[in-house]
Amino acid sequence: MTAIDTATPLGRHRRTATALALLAGGAFALTACGAGQISQTATQVAAVNGSSADVGDIQLRNVHVVYPNSQEYSIEPGGTVELGFTAINSSPADADELTDISSPEAQVTIVDEAESGSTEIAPLTALGAGSPADTQLDDPLLPIQLIKVEMADISENVRPGLTLPVTFEFAKAGEVVVNVPVDAGHELERSEAAVSEHGGE
């Protein structure tokens, strides 16, 4: 292309067409590169994002049904599962107490209370249930007491991917109903069909 061609409308048209062709080719290459792959995140379920609710000075966080990880628990109808959550008392002066947890979909029982022998939540502390991962706090310096809460004789509505109503009652803060998700487990297996469809990855 000569200097004269470059300065003319025809020359500018040729340069635009060349640039568009290069862009289209790059986009096609990127698409083709991803087509034969199964990303790592496609084989996993994200960490549980449990429900949250606030009532009075109590902040409930990461409320969820824990997917069974031992033989003593079962997600099948009639089985028993654990309930995971943290209850943070944001009051700087007044203690509160978790007095009851209930659900129409299961019989909820506080199996093990905190080391102090109660479910009282002192000011600026937390009460947690579930695995250590379930009870991690944004502020690692905030004191937390751990308890164990079980949901027995679960109904057929307690299934991975669904939610169920759970009512928490506190002595001072009052009552709150939370729509609680059921954990789907930590990892999903890739199906053979998906593997063969994507080039035997």
Side-chain angles (χ1 to χ4, degrees):
M1 184 182 295
T2 64
I4 295 175
D5 287 337
T6 304
T8 63
L10 180 58
R12 286 194 297 271
H13 177 72
R14 286 178 182 165
R15 283 184 297 165
T16 302
T18 302
L20 288 174
L22 289 172
L23 286 173
F28 178 77
L30 288 173
T31 303
C33 179
Q37 304 289 329
I38 297 180
S39 67
Q40 184 176 4
T41 54
T43 66
Q44 298 177 345
V45 174
V48 174
N49 292 317
S51 295
S52 298
D54 294 342
V55 55
D57 289 320
I58 299 296
Q59 301 170 349
L60 283 166
R61 297 292 180 264
N62 197 26
V63 187
H64 66 285
V65 174
V66 179
Y67 192 85
N69 55 11
S70 66
Q71 292 185 347
E72 64 181 309
Y73 297 113
S74 171
I75 199 71
E76 298 303 318
T80 299
V81 292
E82 281 190 89
L83 183 66
F85 65 88
T86 55
I88 303 163
N89 183 2
S90 60
S91 171
D94 298 322
D96 206 334
E97 184 177 359
L98 175 63
T99 58
D100 190 46
I101 307 174
S102 60
S103 173
E105 306 295 346
Q107 297 295 323
V108 186
T109 306
I110 298 174
V111 179
D112 292 328
E113 294 188 340
E115 290 182 4
S116 61
S118 74
T119 50
E120 182 178 280
I121 314 172
L124 301 179
T125 67
L127 189 68
S131 70
D134 295 329
T135 56
Q136 287 182 351
L137 299 170
D138 290 337
D139 181 0
L141 299 180
L142 191 71
I144 183 169
Q145 299 183 88
L146 298 181
I147 62 175
K148 186 175 186 179
V149 179
E150 290 184 345
M151 306 181 75
D153 195 22
I154 59 175
S155 78
E156 59 185 9
N157 296 321
V158 183
R159 307 299 301 159
L162 300 181
T163 61
L164 62 147
V166 176
T167 302
F168 289 80
E169 294 183 26
F170 298 91
K172 290 186 178 178
E175 179 181 299
V176 62
V177 179
V178 185
N179 286 321
V180 177
V182 181
D183 188 358
H186 301 296
E187 188 171 311
L188 292 178
E189 295 182 1
R190 293 186 298 181
S191 68
E192 292 300 324
V195 172
S196 59
E197 181 182 344
H198 290 82
E201 264 280 309

